[in-house]
Amino acid sequence: MFKLATNFYNLFFGLFGRNWITLIGSLTATISAFMIIFFIIIGVTGYEITPYIGIMAFLLLPIFFIAGIVILLIGIYKDHIERKRLSSLGKNQSPYPTIDLNEQHTRKMFALSISIIIATFLVLSIAIYHSIHFMDTVTFCGKVCHTVMEPEYVSYTNSPHARVKCVECHIGPGADWFVKSKISGVRQVFATMLKTYHRPTPSPVENLRPSRDTCEQCHWPEHFSGSQLKIITRYGKDEKNTPRKTILNLHVGGGPLENGIHSWHIDKTKNTTYIATDKKRQKIEWVRVETNGKEIIYKTPEFDENKIDIARAEKRLMDCIDCHNRPTHIFYLPAEAIDRALNFGEINKKLPYIKKIGTETLENLDINSENAKKKIRDNIEGFYKEKYPEIYNNKSEEINKAIKTIQNIYRKNVFPEMNVTWNTYPNNIGHYKFPGCFRCHDGNHIAEDGSKISSDCDTCHKIITMDEVNPEFLNILE
Ligand code: HEC
Ligand code: HEC
Ligand code: HEC
Ligand code: HEC
Ligand code: HEC
């Protein structure tokens, strides 16, 4: 046993350690090998191998291992040349070192160095395991490149998906996608360091993974059924901020036999593919539906086949994200955000004209202005001081709360450092402020036989009331 170890030791430092190239090569290869074995063992013992651990253990380490072997071979070759040169000069090559383990000192040193090497491997592996695990966390994705990710991180923390990890939507399971994501990740790290990233971060995210591997890991809309009553409250810009209700019976559907939104759009036998003529996918002029081997192509009259080469244009197969493009990075427009705050009671509905003045203050702010917060305060305080001095004096607490809320709305939706402002990211669900469904369902997408993509208002919802102050319908519910 001892003899074996001595031989190994001799071999290792005598042969591989003869010049620094062999030493580096052999160390790289052995360390990587040990670490790969370590990760395999932890994988086998049931620890979760997350995408990043996988990439490290089964992609980067093997590369290091092979690189180590190559360096080692170069070193040995160099050594070989050197010996040849020396012997051609008639000089003797330097002899291999002798290690005599019969000497107690050498034996101790030998045991010590082996222990140190083993301990180093262990510590290194555990450290790497944890650092890779860290890369999967929301903290890493959302906070490391703080400025760059701030708009997405802040909107995410206020969304229904605030407990879903970034990587669950952006990477998803499986090795091939994390390889892709890591390669683009490296590019992004450089872009951040060199400050060459785009401001704002462009959307749609090209090559975002098909939603069946992300959203559909948690959602199963085939199993939703029926319609949903949607009551939307919007406040008027009058003195009383009069609330108005729009009540829709939204045919969300799901089951294949229903005429619902999901039933049609997520039916796996119907593939909808489209060509967008702008980067943000807001202008859709060519749509193809494939059902059971048949295809129908809808085009707008403006679609110009001389300008757009259909064969080569990017055709996108529609999935969840073409409608739900903002499931978590939800940015609100000023009026919408104020309506929500009024609904939540974060702004007192009794403050005269608060909807109007709040919305206009936000809309008119220059996003590059230095102290937006102060401007919001000055504007709203100024308004009440001048127009409603009594309220200004008696309800200063309510005014103050409203101001803070409005400042917060600004902070959560406008990010000057990333050039993100109102409108930067369109929301494709519905058709309230952005074209959304009307990108296709506008009555302007026509097939050869003259049929159109439906634009009848009852296709997607029954409108029960629209902007009514006291809808009778609500009495039935109450
Ligand atoms: C519920 C799924 C989901 C989660 C969780 C999620 N994202 Fe997203 N993200 C999306 C979708 C969908 C888009 C838009 C895709 C598109 O339009 O192409 C997007 C877009 C982005 C963009 C591009 C800019 C933009 O706003 O469109 C960035 C950057 C981003 N996400 C970062 C993050 C970070 C950081 C986290 C975690 C803090 C995160 N995402 C969590 C689904 C998600
Ligand atoms: C890890 C699981 C998970 C993933 C992945 C996920 N979601 Fe969700 N999603 C949830 C949960 C949980 C809720 C319910 C949150 C709540 O009600 O507070 C939800 C809620 C929703 C809602 C309803 C939101 C609302 O306002 O009530 C929509 C729409 C949605 N998800 C779409 C998506 C889309 C699109 C994707 C893919 C980009 C996605 N989800 C990915 C877990 C997930
Ligand atoms: C054609 C557009 C469209 C597509 C495609 C689509 N949805 Fe929806 N989805 C909607 C609309 C519209 C609603 C209702 C929105 C609302 O209530 O504001 C909705 C509602 C939802 C909800 C909330 C339902 C509830 O009961 O609260 C979830 C979750 C959801 N969709 C998930 C998905 C998933 C997952 C996919 C992909 C398999 C998908 N959707 C594909 C348009 C779409
Ligand atoms: C890329 C184009 C495109 C977009 C965007 C789109 N649709 Fe569609 N949708 C179609 C096509 C094509 C059909 C099939 C033709 C038809 O029946 O009108 C269809 C059919 C439907 C149907 C079934 C209609 C029927 O007659 O049974 C509903 C409901 C529907 N879409 C709802 C929506 C909603 C809601 C949105 C927005 C959240 C939306 N669609 C966005 C292309 C689109
Ligand atoms: C392709 C489907 C589709 C068609 C066609 C359609 N809508 Fe809608 N509409 C929606 C969806 C989805 C929403 C809900 C968006 C949301 O969740 O807030 C909506 C919301 C609305 C709202 C509420 C807007 C708000 O937030 O205040 C009104 C009003 C409305 N639709 C009117 C109409 C009218 C009028 C027509 C006919 C010209 C029409 N819609 C046609 C899908 C459609």
Side-chain angles (χ1 to χ4, degrees):
M1 185 69 196
F2 245 154
K3 196 147 186 226
L4 199 77
T6 327
N7 283 346
F8 176 75
Y9 190 70
N10 262 340
L11 201 74
F12 195 88
F13 289 98
L15 179 65
F16 294 161
R18 282 177 76 81
N19 66 44
W20 59 271
I21 301 179
T22 35
L23 188 65
I24 289 174
S26 57
L27 280 178
T28 313
T30 6
I31 291 178
S32 330
F34 267 99
M35 277 166 42
I36 294 169
I37 294 166
F38 172 80
F39 283 121
I40 291 173
I41 292 170
I42 59 165
V44 170
T45 51
Y47 275 94
E48 185 197 0
I49 296 276
T50 61
Y52 291 102
I53 293 177
I55 216 168
M56 178 75 198
F58 308 123
L59 186 86
L60 286 183
L61 285 177
I63 292 175
F64 272 99
F65 181 72
I66 292 164
I69 301 280
V70 171
I71 296 171
L72 181 69
L73 291 176
I74 294 173
I76 291 173
Y77 181 69
K78 193 171 168 277
D79 204 37
H80 175 71
I81 303 269
E82 177 67 10
R83 282 184 208 199
K84 251 186 157 173
R85 192 181 64 88
L86 286 176
S87 65
S88 73
L89 290 176
K91 286 186 194 157
N92 251 347
Q93 67 217 44
S94 52
Y96 288 111
T98 41
I99 289 150
D100 187 356
L101 279 177
N102 291 318
E103 273 181 40
Q104 199 196 17
H105 176 72
T106 317
R107 225 168 33 238
K108 274 189 185 159
M109 289 312 293
F110 179 69
L112 189 69
S113 25
I114 295 279
S115 320
I116 290 175
I117 291 173
I118 292 174
T120 315
F121 285 142
L122 262 175
V123 172
L124 211 64
S125 308
I126 294 169
I128 290 174
Y129 176 82
H130 283 287
S131 71
I132 296 167
H133 205 82
F134 175 65
M135 280 191 249
D136 261 1
T137 61
V138 169
T139 317
F140 178 78
C141 305
K143 287 184 165 169
V144 170
C145 310
H146 180 77
T147 314
V148 189
M149 284 301 140
E150 206 194 356
E152 280 70 33
Y153 180 70
V154 170
S155 52
Y156 157 91
T157 48
N158 295 312
S159 84
H161 290 103
R163 301 262 161 87
V164 176
K165 283 189 196 166
C166 316
V167 291
E168 281 182 277
C169 291
H170 283 282
I171 302 176
D176 50 343
W177 278 88
F178 73 58
V179 172
K180 280 188 203 170
S181 74
K182 281 312 118 248
I183 291 166
S184 88
V186 169
R187 218 182 51 229
Q188 286 163 24
V189 168
F190 275 111
T192 310
M193 289 190 317
L194 303 170
K195 294 210 182 297
T196 56
Y197 49 83
H198 296 277
R199 300 168 46 215
T201 310
S203 195
V205 182
E206 303 222 357
N207 311 323
L208 195 74
R209 192 164 183 180
S211 55
R212 84 184 81 89
D213 302 321
T214 54
C215 321
E216 288 173 58
Q217 301 280 314
C218 297
H219 295 287
W220 202 357
E222 286 92 327
H223 286 239
F224 303 166
S225 178
S227 300
Q228 283 180 10
L229 200 60
K230 185 149 188 151
I231 304 177
I232 302 165
T233 310
R234 305 213 182 270
Y235 294 84
K237 289 193 176 173
D238 53 334
E239 185 176 23
K240 287 194 170 144
N241 313 301
T242 311
R244 292 190 166 77
K245 308 269 186 197
T246 295
I247 306 176
L248 305 170
N249 194 24
L250 199 57
H251 307 314
V252 181
L257 299 178
E258 291 174 278
N259 269 340
I261 298 166
H262 281 151
S263 5
W264 199 90
H265 269 285
I266 64 175
D267 183 341
K268 300 272 190 292
T269 67
K270 299 183 179 100
N271 283 334
T272 312
T273 315
Y274 67 83
I275 298 175
T277 51
D278 68 331
K279 278 236 156 83
K280 291 193 177 178
R281 299 190 186 138
Q282 294 300 294
K283 289 199 199 85
I284 295 177
E285 297 187 7
W286 183 96
V287 180
R288 180 179 66 204
V289 177
E290 290 163 294
T291 19
N292 306 323
K294 277 192 297 186
E295 68 166 39
I296 309 180
I297 290 173
Y298 299 93
K299 284 185 271 192
T300 61
E302 296 82 48
F303 185 74
D304 185 353
E305 267 171 58
N306 298 324
K307 268 210 228 137
I308 291 153
D309 182 353
I310 298 176
R312 287 176 53 201
E314 191 213 335
K315 287 186 228 38
R316 182 170 159 85
L317 179 65
M318 203 173 165
D319 69 14
C320 316
I321 293 157
D322 289 288
C323 296
H324 296 282
N325 65 333
R326 302 272 129 205
T328 189
H329 311 297
I330 309 168
F331 300 101
Y332 294 99
L333 295 170
E336 248 182 317
I338 303 253
D339 284 342
R340 281 170 58 87
L342 284 161
N343 274 340
F344 291 144
E346 291 163 355
I347 298 179
N348 189 333
K349 296 171 190 160
K350 299 220 167 86
L351 289 176
Y353 285 115
I354 188 67
K355 163 78 187 263
K356 180 175 190 305
I357 190 75
T359 309
E360 285 170 4
T361 303
L362 288 175
E363 275 169 356
N364 297 333
L365 261 182
D366 176 3
I367 83 153
N368 293 318
S369 76
E370 287 282 298
N371 36 19
K373 251 178 109 174
K374 185 169 177 300
K375 286 195 175 140
I376 291 172
R377 174 167 291 282
D378 291 350
N379 217 26
I380 295 171
E381 265 181 2
F383 173 79
Y384 288 108
K385 212 175 192 171
E386 192 192 322
K387 298 273 161 62
Y388 294 91
E390 211 170 292
I391 289 177
Y392 178 74
N393 292 325
N394 298 339
K395 289 203 175 165
S396 63
E397 211 169 285
E398 288 303 334
I399 295 177
N400 213 8
K401 192 171 150 203
I403 291 173
K404 286 219 169 101
T405 304
I406 293 169
Q407 287 170 335
N408 245 339
I409 291 176
Y410 183 80
R411 192 178 60 80
K412 287 180 185 165
N413 292 284
V414 175
F415 300 85
E417 289 200 49
M418 286 303 290
N419 273 341
V420 171
T421 177
W422 322 103
N423 275 329
T424 301
Y425 294 113
N427 189 340
N428 293 335
I429 210 97
H431 50 82
Y432 178 58
K433 289 282 174 181
F434 298 104
C437 315
F438 286 3
R439 290 174 301 162
C440 299
H441 290 271
D442 61 350
N444 198 31
H445 290 68
I446 309 163
E448 233 153 46
D449 64 3
S451 63
K452 294 176 177 175
I453 301 181
S454 47
S455 60
D456 183 357
C457 305
D458 287 342
T459 311
C460 306
H461 46 57
K462 173 144 183 48
I463 302 173
I464 299 167
T465 66
M466 225 165 112
D467 274 335
E468 261 185 53
V469 176
N470 275 318
E472 215 175 290
F473 183 80
L474 283 185
N475 300 336
I476 303 171
L477 295 179
E478 273 156 10

